[in-house]
Amino acid sequence: MRRTDRRTVRYALRRTAVAAVLAAALAGCSLAPPLQLPEIAAGEHYKEQAPWTAAAPADALPRAAWWASYGESELDGLQQRLLAGSPDLAAALARYEQARAYGDQLRSGLFPSVGLSADATRARQSATRPPSGSALPRFYESYDVGLSAGYELDLWGRVRNSVAAGEHARAAAAADLESARLSLQAELADDYIVLRGLDQQAALLDGTVAAYDKAVALTQKRRDAGIASGLDVARAQTQLDMARSQSAQNKAQRALAEHAIAALIGEAPARFALPASDAAITLPTIPLDLPSTLLQRRPDIAAAQRRAAAANAQVGIARAAWFPSISLGATFGYQSNQAGGWLNAPNAAWAIGPSLLLDLFDAGKRRAQTAQAEAVLDEAGARYRGVVLGAFQQVEDNLALLQHYKVAADAEESAFASARRSLDFAMTRYREGAVSYLEVVQSQTVALAAQRAALDLDTRQLRASVALIRALGGGWREDAAASDPVAAAAPGAAATTAGSGASAPSLNP
């Protein structure tokens, strides 16, 4: 390299170093506003129980296998099959992988880009191409090889805000994946409880059909003996047919519940079957004084907060468009019009220096883009507020359902006991000829309705407990939180819920 070239290179490097120092001085500049999540107007305590306390997102807390508290080994096996075969869960996982890959793409903007190029061409120029003359060659060859590097100076935080937005979007997708998993697990538990409730109803109806069949035989004998009328036989037969109809309808509902479970775990309904079991499922013991950390674990709240943080970073990106984009570039390579001796020193070529790009007039485009980004941020904040309020409602709803269903179940059990006694009295009086079979029919109808209602309330309580666990983010164990850098970096509170308490009464009937 000649001395003149060396001096030129040193001068260019000095100018580039000065530009890099200035860039480092401005590297902390970011035009994204501080993230401010909307305040949630909440009561001082749950309507049902416990005071409110401040909370922060902690959806990375480990979740136990909460469905194990129902003591159903069959349900535990179904949950494992759900995680392995659910198509909805597989789709949610794919969406998370997309978000993570997109975040990696944005992160590449923090580093320089390096490229290699090479070409070899032979060309013919037009004889009339200006400027023309005999001195210009008609045919020529060109051989080039070069290495180039470029780096955008992130003076206004555009690249950093893009990376931050991508990271928040990835974290939101991770929370969506966890939300999908929790929703599917709760839906499976709910369907399983419905199916077992239908099994209990089926056992009751099968026993009722058998009892009514005996009643028809009894009235038929009494009619043959001239003690009862044909009206009594018709009434008994009507009760029997109605019970058979209810039994068939119950079997149809069970088939639908079984098909729903098969679809959830990714099995073809034709190849899936659950054996019937009328064993009662125990309502789990759930503390009424729920710790404040529980609602923090709801992944949909964490996802809403992180989407608000991503929208906040997008505002910074839109504002950075008002300022010039400055990049550093450098190239080095060889150029020659001959194939031989292509890589000799005289054929070396290089270039180094900064470049600047600024739109002077865009007819209001950047102003509109900034307004759009701010409106998206407002929407994300409103959606976050709606998710948190919805979470409060779900917890309150299911606490109320559990408490009132408990009272209703106690009353229904008492009503069934009275109806059972009334039926026994009616049958005894009928055998003695003191009353017609109409009184027996009425007692049978009331007794069956009361027993079915009692079983239905048991199922409703179990379903409400599943919905409560889902509303709490999956279980109620207060385990140590796993560190989540994204959640920790995002300012603002996630939600509030019931304050922690000592030993509390359970929801067991």
Side-chain angles (χ1 to χ4, degrees), residues 407-419 450-451 453-455 457-458:
V407 176
D410 291 342
E412 199 62 53
E413 286 291 340
S414 178
F416 169 66
S418 299
Q451 191 168 5
L455 292 176
L457 279 169
D458 289 343

Side-chain angles (χ1 to χ4, degrees), residues 138-153:
R138 181 73 55 85
F139 299 92
Y140 66 92
E141 296 175 347
S142 174
Y143 299 92
D144 298 274
V145 63
L147 189 68
S148 62
Y151 179 69
E152 179 179 349
L153 301 180

Side-chain angles (χ1 to χ4, degrees), residues 66-67 70 75 78-79 82-83 86-89 178-196 256-266 272 274 281 459 462-471 473-474:
W66 52 266
W67 56 86
Y70 293 93
L75 176 59
L78 290 172
Q79 293 286 359
L82 170 75
L83 296 180
S86 170
D88 292 332
L89 195 57
E178 185 59 34
S179 183
R181 181 185 293 112
L182 175 60
S183 296
L184 291 169
Q185 288 172 338
E187 185 177 353
L188 176 58
D190 185 76
D191 287 344
Y192 181 84
I193 286 171
V194 169
L195 183 139
R196 290 308 180 207
L256 296 182
E258 191 175 67
H259 299 166
I261 292 174
L264 278 175
I265 65 176
F272 177 79
L274 280 177
I281 300 177
T459 300
L462 289 166
R463 296 183 70 183
S465 69
V466 170
L468 177 60
I469 294 172
R470 178 179 180 179

Side-chain angles (χ1 to χ4, degrees), residues 196-487:
R196 290 308 180 207
L198 292 170
D199 283 344
Q200 290 180 307
Q201 296 271 358
L204 168 63
L205 290 170
D206 289 344
T208 300
V209 167
Y212 286 1
D213 192 51
K214 292 179 180 178
V216 170
L218 173 63
T219 56
Q220 186 66 47
K221 289 180 180 179
R222 290 172 64 84
R223 178 177 178 271
D224 294 342
I227 303 174
S229 66
L231 181 59
D232 289 348
V233 176
R235 285 170 175 165
Q237 186 64 48
T238 300
Q239 286 292 91
L240 174 60
D241 292 340
M242 290 178 62
R244 285 173 174 168
S245 173
Q246 293 178 41
S247 178
Q249 294 176 52
N250 183 81
K251 288 181 172 61
Q253 294 175 15
R254 188 192 189 280
L256 296 182
E258 191 175 67
H259 299 166
I261 292 174
L264 278 175
I265 65 176
E267 292 279 351
R271 301 177 56 187
F272 177 79
L274 280 177
S277 172
D278 60 350
I281 300 177
T282 304
L283 190 68
T285 301
I286 303 176
L288 291 183
D289 253 338
L290 302 169
S292 61
T293 54
L294 295 183
L295 203 57
Q296 303 171 38
R297 298 167 65 181
R298 281 186 59 128
D300 56 342
I301 292 179
Q305 176 179 327
R306 288 159 184 172
R307 287 194 169 90
N312 192 75
Q314 291 291 342
V315 172
I317 296 172
R319 291 178 178 177
W322 289 92
F323 298 89
S325 174
I326 302 176
S327 301
L328 296 178
T331 61
F332 177 80
Y334 294 89
Q335 296 177 334
S336 176
N337 60 356
Q338 297 179 0
W342 186 11
L343 302 180
N344 291 335
N347 297 328
W350 58 266
I352 187 172
S355 62
L356 182 145
L357 177 64
L358 175 65
D359 290 333
L360 298 179
F361 178 74
D362 61 4
K365 178 181 178 181
R366 284 170 293 179
R367 183 178 294 107
Q369 289 175 335
T370 302
Q372 179 187 11
E374 291 172 347
V376 171
L377 176 59
D378 292 340
E379 178 189 1
R383 289 187 181 278
Y384 165 79
R385 182 171 178 268
V387 171
V388 174
L389 290 176
F392 291 155
Q393 177 189 351
Q394 291 167 14
V395 174
E396 291 278 13
D397 286 350
N398 290 289
L399 284 175
L401 287 176
L402 282 164
Q403 290 184 3
H404 295 302
Y405 281 164
K406 174 64 169 61
V407 176
D410 291 342
E412 199 62 53
E413 286 291 340
S414 178
F416 169 66
S418 299
R420 183 75 255 180
R421 289 194 299 270
S422 297
L423 178 58
D424 291 341
F425 291 148
M427 286 297 297
T428 300
R429 286 165 59 84
Y430 175 72
R431 288 191 184 97
E432 294 173 352
V435 296
S436 70
Y437 199 76
L438 177 61
E439 186 170 329
V440 176
V441 168
Q442 292 172 340
S443 298
Q444 286 175 334
T445 302
V446 172
L448 178 59
Q451 191 168 5
R452 293 196 70 184
L455 292 176
D456 182 62
L457 279 169
D458 289 343
T459 300
R460 289 189 192 183
Q461 289 184 81
L462 289 166
R463 296 183 70 183
S465 69
V466 170
L468 177 60
I469 294 172
R470 178 179 180 179
L472 297 172
W476 53 92
R477 287 179 51 192
E478 192 173 1
D479 299 324
S483 176
D484 187 341
V486 177

Side-chain angles (χ1 to χ4, degrees), residues 113-164:
S113 61
V114 179
L116 176 66
S117 62
D119 67 83
T121 60
R122 176 173 175 79
R124 176 190 185 280
Q125 292 195 89
S126 169
T128 58
R129 174 183 179 275
S132 60
S134 59
L136 296 175
R138 181 73 55 85
F139 299 92
Y140 66 92
E141 296 175 347
S142 174
Y143 299 92
D144 298 274
V145 63
L147 189 68
S148 62
Y151 179 69
E152 179 179 349
L153 301 180
D154 192 24
L155 303 183
W156 326 114
R158 187 193 69 81
V159 176
R160 280 175 287 120
N161 281 322
S162 296
V163 173

Side-chain angles (χ1 to χ4, degrees), residues 17-32:
V18 171
V21 170
L22 292 175
L26 295 174
C29 179
S30 176
L31 300 177

